[in-house]
Amino acid sequence: MAATFRRRLRRGAASTAVAALVLAALTASQSPAGAKNTAAKGQEPTPADTPIDGGAAYYTDLPPLNSPVPPRGSNHPRPDGDGIVTGPAQAGIPATVLAAYKKAESEIRAADPGCRLPWQLLAGIGKVESGQARGGAVDAEGTTLQPILGPQLNGRGFARITDTDGGRYDGDRTHDRAVGPMQFIPSTWSQGGPAGTGWGADGNGDGKKDPNNVFDAALAAGTYLCAGGRNLSVQQDLDSAVLGYNHSEEYLRTVLSWFAFYRTGSYEVPDGKGVLPAHRDGANGTGDHPSGRPEGRTGHGHGTGGPAGNHPRPGKTKPNGPAKPGGSGDGHTGSHTPGGDHTPGTPETPGTPQTPSGKPTPTPKPPTKPTTPTALQRVGDQDLTATAGTDFTTKAQVRAADAAGKPVAGVPVRFTLPDTTDARFPAGATTATVTTGKDGLATAPTLHAGDKTGDFTLRVTAVGRPAPAVDIKATVKAKPAPKVDLLTRTSDKELTATAGHAFAEDAVEIKATYQGEIAAGVPITATMITDDPDHPVQNDKGPYFKDPQATGDNKDKPVRTLTGLTTDADGLLKLPKIYTDSHPGTFLLRLATPNGTTLTLKLKIAAPPKTA
């Protein structure tokens, strides 16, 4: 198998059709519906929109020769996509990346069943765009360990797209670059789309839309492919969708080759163990990466990085003309065989891949199919407890096991918080995904309790696996009330008002202390009480408060017991405005703390003056 890394919009192309592609990419909008399928009719596509990745570079590795790859897209009979237990190493897809593709398929099937998006199409695009997130180099949440950036889209061999995001996604403040596992350009991610806010999506439910996250990027790509009412089981719609992703017939053929390959079978491999696409020495990609590893310039996969003479250099060879997806006539002089891209007379030997230097390397041993977990088992039988505003001292933990009760490693396990709690994982996340280790254990990150007290249930699921969910009970307890031994009023001015009128604003301010020190955060209840010295109860007449949260007819309803009051950092509390009814006299206001400390104030209400 010969592997090359090509430019999508070739510099100095002699073909007027290719020049038209460049012009279209420079002057377009964001609608995917503009990508018309003309490939099947033998014409260059002339799209009216910017490709989703800006026409950057992509991997042109093709599936192995020993795989049945009739790359005709969705018209090819479809066997079960998970049917292979062992097979070519290229059929292995990293666990988290595979879970992201399948999750996107599931969500889009529910939201847009008429699209018929197969996850294998996302896998084909992910393979061509980033080598499945660089072989699954992602963290437990599905975010790439290092940014995956395409070349700078500065018009030198690629489309020219000046900066649209201030470097937010691609770190470049002069021009845009394709970003992440599915290589979205920033403007496509954050602009246009059905709601006008971009095609970006939140695929992992963490409240963020991150093109560097494979769950987010896969859902966004699937939504884009399905736009415009497409039915991807129809060849024309399938071709149109892929061409909308990138305006290149060679790209279309490459994606559909991998699509068909994955439909014949695939298996899961651990994250970071996926086969990476190979690179060809002298490839003209100019993508930069903060770590010095530009996307499109670094290849570690198995394959033949053949001599430069085996493949036409971008801008040097006039295309022979387009052909049907997956067929011959890929713009090369020479022939094209599904699963290989080699010059006649230099056949490759299946099963004997070579490094770019030409030295044979051992044939990779196809991985065996990972064990499927049938159960998630709670580790520990104690409920999770914490005090409001503090961390839970115990972390939620589960064990993935197979039917024989043996631990299963490499299973993505998601911990999900309900809407009924304000407890959060680090960075304010409501979900956390952790991959099980060799012992089958997955431990959630530290959970921080919010201010809301009470019980809630933490749900634990195996992402993309049939194992039943596990529910873990958690409880947030109220903070112990601060100690207070004295409540005093900050003013000695007499509290007076006229019946039918309110007391002065901020008429009552109190201070809480404990052993002479400020007592902050003390809960206080204010109650208008009767003057019975033995059994004072809430009064039903005289001064009152109003409920600040009430609306409609209730907003002026008298409230004579007010809770939820708390002293500030200085131990002070100003009571809300106090109103009066038509009853004159002396009334009592009692202020009480949870530990029994009280302060009783007299409120004097004078009768209104008599009118003549």
Side-chain angles (χ1 to χ4, degrees), residues 404-431:
K406 296 181 179 179
V408 181
V411 178
V413 174
R414 177 164 299 144
F415 299 83
T416 304
L417 293 165
D419 295 335
T420 55
T421 181
D422 58 357
R424 293 293 183 265
F425 290 114
T430 57
T431 63

Side-chain angles (χ1 to χ4, degrees), residues 467-490:
V470 169
D471 289 335
I472 299 176
K473 183 180 177 182
T475 301
V476 178
K477 299 180 179 179
K479 295 179 181 179
K483 293 182 178 181
V484 58
D485 57 13
L486 182 63
L487 294 177
T488 57
R489 189 172 167 227
T490 59

Side-chain angles (χ1 to χ4, degrees), residues 313-452:
R313 295 178 62 82
K316 299 296 184 180
T317 304
K318 184 174 181 178
N320 291 335
K324 294 181 179 180
S328 60
D330 62 349
H332 294 191
T333 55
S335 63
H336 169 243
T337 304
D341 190 10
H342 48 274
T343 304
T346 58
E348 298 173 356
T349 302
T352 313
Q354 295 181 341
T355 63
S357 64
K359 296 180 181 180
T361 58
T363 301
K365 182 179 180 181
T368 57
K369 186 176 182 180
T371 305
T372 300
T374 59
L376 290 179
Q377 302 165 346
R378 169 77 191 278
V379 176
D381 55 3
Q382 294 183 347
D383 294 338
L384 307 179
T385 58
T387 301
T390 66
D391 289 340
F392 283 80
T393 55
T394 302
K395 296 181 179 180
Q397 189 177 61
V398 296
R399 176 177 178 266
D402 61 15
K406 296 181 179 179
V408 181
V411 178
V413 174
R414 177 164 299 144
F415 299 83
T416 304
L417 293 165
D419 295 335
T420 55
T421 181
D422 58 357
R424 293 293 183 265
F425 290 114
T430 57
T431 63
T433 304
V434 179
T435 302
T436 58
K438 294 180 180 180
D439 53 5
L441 294 178
T443 305
T446 300
L447 185 60
H448 182 79
D451 294 328
K452 186 179 293 187

